[in-house]
Amino acid sequence: MRFDLTDLRLFLHVVEAESITRGAERAGLALASASERIRGMEADGGVPLLERHARGVRPTPAGLAVTHHARLVIGQLEQMRGELGQYAHGLRGHVRLLSITAAVAAFLPDALSGFLAAYPSVDIDLEERTSRETVDALAGGLADIGIVADTTDLGALETVPLHLDRIVLVVPAGHALARRSGVAFREVLDEPLVGLGHGRALQAHLATHAARAGRPFKLRVRLNGLDAVCRMVERGVGVAIVPEAAARRAAETLSIRAIAIDEPWALRRLSLCARSFAALPPHARQLVEHLVAHLSATEDSGFERTSPFAGPGQSPG
């Protein structure tokens, strides 16, 4: 078989995006060129690697085997680049990080901006996913590290605690619930709701709990960001459920109130996960240490964060 690194990177992008078009965009290739490369891989292997359907593509059993080995090959290449980085110029590292909405809202922008400034030769591919999707991607070797909630079965993944996350109800300052200290989720479902777009991790999380309560989770309007959601709440369009950090930030400039949601699942511990921290490429290891050190320095969440690379007597990072 004559697969080259461009073929393997392209195939991973296509599998991760579940689309040849989006995979080609991520790989920086024209669609025609990407399609030709995929067909060439299938011709060389003598077996279909992708199942084409109306909503995209998914790997065949043979495609899953290619995905697994492609991740190993690319991972080895990243390790080599990291080890040679002090001698060679122009080689860039790449880390694929998956995360739930809460981490993106609470601490990732500050943490990642500091990391990227400190490591200008490293690029980060950050995607918002549900905890379940992140666990599956990590287990399948489709991502380096992920940030998930402890409400999900993490299987055999290695974890490091990062952050205590609370989701809250946001209402206009003059709303009937604004004076309440807490509210049950079933009460929230009686209100007009504002939320994020399809596919966002927080909305999937809330829809799951609404289904368990036997209630629909319908939104009056979907927006692209949490700041826009809070602005819509201030204008009286509806109420919203958002991470507490986002609500606190928005309340500095908007006339809104945050109310606790009296449900056990509204308070979650967020953890950093990997198949094996020791086996991560050097750039991903640096990012893990940076995230642990950043949150240890900026937050007191009631638990001790320890770098998975720190031995006895060593401090995190």
Side-chain angles (χ1 to χ4, degrees):
M1 297 183 188
R2 295 172 294 174
F3 301 171
D4 61 24
L5 288 175
T6 301
D7 290 335
L8 296 180
R9 290 185 186 279
L10 168 64
F11 193 76
L12 287 178
H13 283 307
V14 168
V15 170
E16 291 162 0
E18 298 181 341
S19 165
I20 295 177
T21 300
R22 292 196 298 274
E25 291 174 353
R26 293 181 183 184
L29 296 173
L31 177 58
S33 175
S35 297
E36 182 62 28
R37 282 182 173 273
I38 296 294
R39 285 194 295 269
M41 292 177 69
E42 292 178 319
D44 284 348
V47 63
L49 301 179
L50 296 173
E51 294 178 358
R52 279 80 167 173
H53 52 91
R55 305 181 69 177
V57 297
R58 57 176 173 264
T60 63
L64 289 174
V66 171
T67 300
H68 170 71
H69 289 287
R71 288 297 300 179
L72 292 178
V73 171
I74 300 302
Q76 288 293 323
L77 179 63
E78 290 295 328
Q79 287 187 322
M80 181 188 71
R81 284 181 168 177
E83 292 172 6
L84 295 179
Q86 58 182 314
Y87 305 108
H89 299 286
L91 291 177
R92 301 190 64 82
H94 177 266
V95 182
R96 185 159 190 251
L97 168 63
L98 307 183
S99 175
I100 62 174
T101 308
V104 177
F107 60 83
L108 275 181
D110 288 342
L112 294 184
S113 63
F115 177 83
L116 291 169
Y119 298 94
S121 64
V122 180
D123 297 328
I124 297 175
D125 182 6
L126 171 62
E127 290 190 26
E128 189 177 314
R129 297 287 188 92
T130 65
S131 292
R132 181 73 266 157
E133 290 171 337
T134 297
V135 169
D136 290 345
L138 290 172
L142 297 177
D144 297 304
I145 54 179
I147 299 175
V148 303
D150 61 358
T151 52
T152 299
D153 181 5
L154 304 181
L157 297 181
E158 296 182 1
T159 65
V160 175
L162 278 185
H163 174 75
L164 282 180
D165 167 63
R166 185 187 303 275
I167 53 176
V168 297
L169 177 69
V170 175
V171 302
H175 194 276
L177 296 175
R179 295 180 179 273
R180 296 271 295 273
S181 60
V183 60
F185 185 52
R186 63 179 180 276
E187 296 179 79
V188 177
L189 296 175
D190 293 329
E191 298 286 335
L193 293 164
V194 178
L196 298 170
H198 292 285
R200 300 296 291 272
L202 177 60
Q203 299 309 133
H205 176 64
L206 297 175
T208 296
H209 286 288
R212 290 174 181 172
R215 301 284 297 279
F217 190 77
K218 296 181 178 179
L219 299 177
R220 291 195 67 198
V221 60
R222 295 179 181 270
L223 299 146
N224 288 330
L226 292 168
D227 290 340
V229 167
C230 291
R231 287 198 301 273
M232 198 68 76
V233 168
E234 182 192 40
R235 294 173 185 176
V237 174
V239 303
I241 298 175
V242 303
E244 186 176 32
R248 187 184 308 116
R249 183 171 59 247
E252 294 176 358
T253 57
L254 301 177
S255 183
I256 58 175
R257 298 289 183 272
I259 304 164
I261 298 176
D262 296 330
E263 305 291 347
W265 50 262
L267 180 64
R268 308 172 294 174
R269 184 174 73 171
L270 307 189
S271 295
L272 188 64
C273 304
R275 292 180 70 181
S276 168
F277 287 112
L280 287 174
H283 306 300
R285 290 165 59 96
Q286 290 168 337
L287 178 56
V288 168
E289 293 196 348
H290 178 85
L291 290 173
V292 172
H294 174 84
L295 289 173
S296 295
T298 59
E299 293 186 1
D300 179 9
S301 295
F303 53 75
E304 180 180 356
R305 305 176 186 86
T306 303
S307 168
F309 313 114
Q314 292 179 280
S315 59

